[in-house]
Amino acid sequence: ATDGDQDALLGMIYLAAALGYPDDFVDMVMRTVITFASADLGFPDIYRTLPGGERIFVPKMGSSWGGLTPDSGAYKTQQAPWCYSPGYFGPAHYRTFRDFAR
């Protein structure tokens, strides 16, 4: 599943808590949070140009899958063009990532 990245990271945060937040493990988890968030936002490609010419920000799902993809060209999709399922974003996961980073 494309949302498996956020599930794995959530498990790492739970494990850090169960272990009493050891410094080396917390460091690794924070690096993972940063990497995941960067990829999920689509870095380095966080914008798409729509057919009308307007550029828009595109959040990406786990492993940078999905987003607003056209029906032809470099970002061609096999699914419905210019759409993606918001079901892949787990708001509670992201709140937990935010709280862990504090």
Side-chain angles (χ1 to χ4, degrees):
T2 58
D3 53 346
D5 295 356
Q6 62 191 10
D7 292 338
L9 182 51
L10 184 65
M12 292 173 70
I13 290 173
Y14 288 154
L15 180 57
L19 296 174
Y21 300 103
D23 290 340
D24 59 342
F25 193 72
V26 168
D27 179 69
M28 181 185 68
V29 175
M30 277 308 306
R31 291 172 189 271
T32 305
V33 167
I34 292 165
T35 302
F36 172 75
S38 296
D40 216 38
L41 289 173
F43 287 110
D45 184 21
I46 60 174
Y47 291 91
R48 288 284 191 275
T49 302
L50 297 179
E54 60 270 36
R55 286 179 51 82
I56 60 167
F57 171 74
V58 181
K60 302 296 278 184
M61 295 174 248
S63 299
S64 296
W65 182 88
L68 296 176
T69 51
D71 55 7
S72 63
Y75 299 106
K76 181 179 180 189
T77 183
Q78 298 292 325
Q79 310 202 355
W82 306 109
C83 298
Y84 63 86
S85 169
Y88 286 104
F89 298 100
H93 286 55
Y94 289 90
R95 286 191 293 272
T96 303
F97 302 161
R98 177 203 60 206
D99 294 345
F100 182 78
R102 290 181 178 167

